[in-house]
Amino acid sequence: QVQLVESGGGSVKAGGSLRLSCLMSGMHYTSYCAGWYRQPPGGIHEGIAAIDRDGTTQYANSMEGRFTISEDNAQKMLYLQMNSLKPEDTAMYYCAADQFWPGCFQAFGDPQRAYEYNNWGQGTQVTVS
């Protein structure tokens, strides 16, 4: 079974940077879709970016180039580099992953479809002030 564990969150000043990590244990799919969501206090899950095993990516346009998703297949790691952080980036950040399916990138862009991903981490808090 797949287990995802996020790390790297914390409190940072506006304009600062963080690199979030997600260890994807048990990820042995021949193809997969994975990515990052965030949920601000009182808000809903918002897709940030998705990536498949081959490195194809899809970003939410609201990220304005400040966030970069990447992966290391050999290490079973998923990353999110966050630069120029703003107070509105404050949220719980989650990684999610599942076996690839044709609509997985679209699902990452639709909060109502987040449930389609069966594997989720516990989240890591990011607070920007």
Side-chain angles (χ1 to χ4, degrees), residues 7-29:
S7 62
S11 297
V12 299
K13 298 177 182 178
S17 298
L18 283 175
R19 189 191 194 198
L20 306 184
S21 299
C22 175
L23 176 60
M24 302 184 290
S25 300
M27 284 287 289
H28 51 75
Y29 303 124

Side-chain angles (χ1 to χ4, degrees), residues 1-122:
Q1 59 272 28
V2 177
Q3 291 188 336
L4 280 62
V5 180
E6 304 97 334
S7 62
S11 297
V12 299
K13 298 177 182 178
S17 298
L18 283 175
R19 189 191 194 198
L20 306 184
S21 299
C22 175
L23 176 60
M24 302 184 290
S25 300
M27 284 287 289
H28 51 75
Y29 303 124
T30 56
S31 61
Y32 65 75
C33 195
W36 293 91
Y37 281 89
R38 68 184 183 185
Q39 184 174 24
I44 61 173
H45 283 82
E46 176 188 19
I48 300 169
I51 189 168
D52 66 19
R53 197 179 189 279
D54 296 327
T56 301
T57 59
Q58 180 69 255
Y59 291 88
N61 56 23
S62 62
M63 299 304 134
E64 302 175 350
R66 297 183 298 118
F67 293 3
T68 302
I69 190 171
S70 62
E71 64 191 355
D72 184 331
N73 296 145
Q75 298 296 319
K76 302 183 185 299
M77 296 294 292
L78 182 71
Y79 302 103
L80 184 68
Q81 179 67 44
M82 306 187 295
N83 299 323
S84 301
L85 286 164
K86 305 173 181 179
E88 53 262 44
D89 294 320
T90 296
M92 186 72 77
Y93 284 71
Y94 299 90
C95 59
D98 210 338
Q99 184 173 350
F100 180 87
W101 77 97
C104 67
F105 281 5
Q106 288 93 328
F108 255 102
D110 186 348
Q112 294 184 314
R113 296 182 62 188
Y115 71 92
E116 296 181 26
Y117 289 84
N118 291 316
N119 306 294
W120 290 81
Q122 83 289 347

